[in-house]
Amino acid sequence: QDAYSKRFIPVSSISRVTSIGDQKFEVITNNRNFVFRAESDADRNEWIRTLQQIAEERKSKALERTLMSPTTSGAANLADKSGFLELRGFKHKLFVAVAGDKVFLYKNAEDYRLGIGITYIEMNVGNVKEVDRRGFDLTTPYRIFSFSADSDQEKEEWVEAMQQSIAEALSNSEVAERIWAVESNRFCADCGSPKPDWASINLCVVICKRCAGEHRGLGPSITKVRSLKMDRKVWTEELIELFHQIGNAVANQFWAANVPPSEAITPASSSQERRRFLIAKYREGKYRRYHPLFGNQEELDRALCVAVTTSDLAETQALLFCGAAVTCATGDPQCPTPLALAEKSGQRLQMEFLLHNKNSGPPRLGWWAISGWPERAGLPSTILCHAEFSRRWCTLQDGVLSYYENDRNAVPNGEIRVEEIVCLLHPNACGRPGSPFSPSRRIESTFEIYIESERLYLFGLESPDSAREWIKSIAKSFVHPRAEELLALDFERIGRLHYKGGLNLERAKEGWFALAGSTLHVCFEDSERQEPLQLRKLQELCAGPGHAVGFGGGSWPPPTEAGLAGRTLYIQGERKLDFLGWVHAIQKAAGSAGDTLSEQQLTELDVPLLVDRCIDYITQCGLTSEGIYRKSGQNSKTTSLLEMLRRDARSVRLKEGEHQVDDVANTLKRFFRDLGDGLFTGRWGQDWLRATALEDEEAKISEYRRLLGTLPTVNRATLKALINHLFRVQRFSGENQMNTHNLAIVFGPTLFQTDGKDYKAGRVVEDLISHYVKIFNVNDQEMKKQQDEIMAIMKMREAASSGTQQAGDFICTVYLEEKKTEAEQHVKIPATMTAEELTFEILDRRKIVMKEKDYWSCFEVNEREEA
């Protein structure tokens, strides 16, 4: 039987169920009527009774209606993502909604509004995989749903929404159910949405997903957001009990005591409205109930010291968020802080509340400073930490980074043990916008420390030199001795991660990683020397689904897969906070960083991937296209394609039918025309033009070879690749009408970025093509290889145009796990099929479902020198 329905009707929309005879009954909704036939009159009557009973129950519990009815239950407002998608097997686009841990399919937007859908998919059994530029598959054990979006960006948004839905479906709801046991915690403290599954653990409020997103924007110094279902480690028994004692009811008696109805938000409020309300509520404290001692710091601190020795959590909350200092002096040498007083008095919930607000402050904001010195430096420096908003004395000694109230205190306010540090980040930005300090005291440099308990410390220093001293000292204290080589690098990020590589993918090993510019330096577990990985030269870089071996449960980030020449490296993280930073930093470093050649994604031969993609496509599909490079493609398509290739050429696959030859050719020309510093560089460009005046042909070739040697490596490799391509194009001038002279007319002004009036630019290109073999020192073996490639491409094109078979298809025998007759499959493989696609094809044929911890690899085996 099919696991998915053809249609569902929300129970909450049923107004009446009646019998109409002949074992039939009619379900009447607000907009449509549905007739059903049961197997007998008794079955029919049982259906009627059950449906009537459930419909009545749902009407009496309007706030807890099922997600199947967007209109009545609020899912339309709470849907994480909704819109039209193409689905293989349906003639028309379907309206799809991702809501919570389910994906709903509707025939159209009207049915979505009414809540009458086709089916819904439980995402706890789902897996999402990108297929091509606009397509992606939602795979379940029962069926594969092949979707297609309108654009690459839309596809990415849908994939992200569905991956989040899977993470939510796999999360644990035990904590949520316990928190919801208190009536007020069943609705968002800010907008009133039902069943909120996020919380601010320092404010002790339970909030919905949309409000949680805006809470994060306020920063961890004001609100620390955690998931009830996914962040299981943080939910201790004390914290859960704290939410029972304070929770939304007590918290809102303080924070929302004076909210005007006109400023309140609802589940339907926009992100902008939520942001404005939450800033006013928590950052500015606009609606709070002021404590009678507000404004008197000394009295507030004294009252806090009394309150923490009692069970009055509401009083402690009001004092803290009206200005009392959580680390104020108590006057008691035995219990110097309110936390120590609470511990002495046996008030464990007071202790829990103080601990979570240790780095928080009242609505008045500011930056704080820690002054101290690195372990090996003798002079004090000043550190500004955005999280605490106060000044502290700091020392790094015996593997502990401690911060104190001042340089006279003997007891630290807090400490970070270096063995807990997992990542140290030194952003390149010098200073942060919006600093409240005057220019003379403005922060010049910052660094961040991530520790195992998912906490982040952000520090800022007045002097970049002092920042470097601190960073080097901290890094030296926590980096393993075998990875000390990394400390000499000018790194942006350094830390430990787990990885898998080679043929042993069963056990993850621990390695040390440092990111410096576009290079990821790695010290592997079984190696004494660091290995640099050039990220811009990766063949593949992708983030897999969020179920990786070694991840600590919940919605953890996926492993990063870095494909290198001849090897694949899987990098995994155990903690969400620091690993997401690694993923984003690696993705950014592996992308193009500017408009010069050296800043592009590159092939192993140092040719920009953008150039390689365009040349490869035109070689396969456009060598015989009449007027190639002379004809202009569509401007809008050229602009769009160039933008995609510049953003991430690695992810772009140019395919015949989807892309036109003239559009790709125009993209390549525009790239060179807009190139920063040009292909021939501003320094040497005029020398190339002057070389055309040499009358002796051999002298001219010699000068061209000399100038070629002066170009940077990437420019030299790119010029050779381009001229090699144009050399091939002119060999088909009989079909494409583009001989050497015509190509020179087009590419001369393009490569030299002139207005076309200087004929010498064309002469240079014409000379380079005509004397390609001599200038670039191309040997007979290279020429033969190029000729063989061209002949193979032309044969495939001829076969494709004759209609006898698809170009490049061949029949291949594939064995599953072992070379036995019963394990073999005969597959027709197109030229464009990837190893991943072939693997899934074989697994689908054998009805093998990919499990969470499965790794499948595809190998091409050569026997007796025959593939």
Side-chain angles (χ1 to χ4, degrees), residues 560-591:
T560 294
E561 179 182 303
L564 305 160
R567 65 187 298 186
T568 299
L569 179 68
Y570 299 89
I571 304 173
Q572 297 179 322
E574 294 181 351
R575 293 153 298 273
K576 179 178 181 180
L577 189 63
D578 69 290
F579 191 68
L580 277 178
W582 276 107
V583 172
H584 295 151
I586 290 173
Q587 287 174 335
K588 182 179 179 182

Side-chain angles (χ1 to χ4, degrees), residues 416-433:
I416 304 170
R417 297 192 172 275
V418 294
E419 63 264 22
E420 297 176 335
I421 299 175
V422 295
C423 181
L424 179 63
L425 171 63
H426 182 206
N428 293 326
C430 295
R432 293 179 176 268

Side-chain angles (χ1 to χ4, degrees), residues 34 39 201 217 241 391 444 447 491 544 563 683 687 774:
F34 300 86
E39 292 185 354
I201 59 173
E241 192 173 339
R391 189 172 294 269
E444 291 295 331
F447 66 88
F491 56 80
R683 179 181 178 184
D687 288 7
K774 286 187 176 181

Side-chain angles (χ1 to χ4, degrees), residues 89-130:
F90 287 82
K91 293 182 180 179
H92 305 289
K93 288 184 178 180
L94 299 184
F95 195 91
V96 182
V98 181
D101 58 357
K102 298 181 181 67
V103 172
F104 297 86
L105 306 183
Y106 301 87
K107 287 183 67 176
N108 49 50
E110 178 63 17
D111 280 2
Y112 170 65
R113 190 184 66 80
L114 297 174
I116 300 174
I118 298 172
T119 191
Y120 67 91
I121 304 157
E122 298 277 3
M123 295 299 277
N124 62 331
V125 295
N127 184 40
V128 185
K129 179 176 75 76
E130 297 186 42

Side-chain angles (χ1 to χ4, degrees), residues 225-470:
V225 181
R226 297 291 185 273
S227 169
L228 299 186
K229 296 180 177 180
M230 293 179 282
D231 296 319
R232 281 174 281 182
K233 286 184 178 180
V234 76
W235 291 102
T236 61
E237 286 299 318
E238 287 79 9
L239 184 56
I240 293 173
E241 192 173 339
L242 192 61
F243 269 75
H244 285 175
Q245 296 293 322
I246 299 181
N248 290 355
V250 174
N252 271 341
Q253 287 174 10
F254 172 76
W255 289 108
N258 304 294
V259 180
S262 60
E263 295 184 25
I265 59 174
T266 68
S269 295
S270 66
S271 296
Q272 187 176 3
E273 291 168 334
R274 290 172 196 271
R275 190 177 307 119
R276 185 167 54 245
F277 176 77
L278 296 179
I279 288 173
K281 182 177 180 180
Y282 298 112
R283 178 178 286 176
E284 299 171 358
K286 182 178 178 181
Y287 314 122
R288 60 184 163 167
R289 176 176 54 81
Y290 284 91
H291 194 279
L293 298 176
F294 179 76
N296 188 329
Q297 187 66 50
E298 189 176 337
E299 291 297 323
L300 282 170
D301 292 347
R302 188 177 295 119
L304 177 65
C305 292
V306 174
V308 296
T309 63
T310 73
S311 60
D312 194 347
L313 292 164
E315 176 71 1
T316 301
Q317 178 193 45
L319 288 165
L320 270 185
F321 294 113
C322 280
V326 71
T327 56
C328 66
T330 64
D332 183 351
Q334 308 252 323
C335 302
T337 65
L339 180 62
L341 285 174
E343 184 177 11
K344 181 181 178 181
S345 303
Q347 297 295 334
R348 58 190 184 86
L349 295 188
Q350 292 279 12
M351 291 173 60
E352 187 76 11
F353 187 66
L354 291 172
L355 283 169
H356 287 296
N357 283 286
K358 205 171 179 184
N359 296 335
S360 304
R364 53 190 172 87
L365 298 182
W367 294 66
W368 66 282
I370 296 178
S371 53
W373 56 87
E375 192 169 19
R376 58 186 177 81
L379 297 176
S381 60
T382 301
I383 299 182
L384 303 177
C385 179
H386 182 46
E388 292 266 2
F389 310 113
S390 52
R391 189 172 294 269
R392 297 290 183 267
W393 184 262
C394 177
T395 62
L396 176 61
Q397 291 179 323
D398 301 323
V400 180
L401 175 62
S402 306
Y403 49 92
Y404 301 78
E405 185 74 22
N406 52 56
D407 59 349
R408 297 181 300 278
N409 278 32
V411 179
N413 287 13
E415 58 186 27
I416 304 170
R417 297 192 172 275
V418 294
E419 63 264 22
E420 297 176 335
I421 299 175
V422 295
C423 181
L424 179 63
L425 171 63
H426 182 206
N428 293 326
C430 295
R432 293 179 176 268
S435 169
F437 290 115
S438 62
S440 63
R441 297 183 61 203
R442 187 139 313 154
I443 291 176
E444 291 295 331
S445 188
T446 62
F447 66 88
E448 300 170 12
I449 296 176
Y450 295 79
I451 64 174
E452 289 177 340
S453 58
E454 289 273 18
R455 291 191 66 181
L456 160 66
Y457 294 84
L458 171 63
F459 299 92
L461 293 95
E462 294 172 351
S463 163
D465 292 336
S466 298
R468 279 190 288 272
E469 286 290 325
W470 274 97

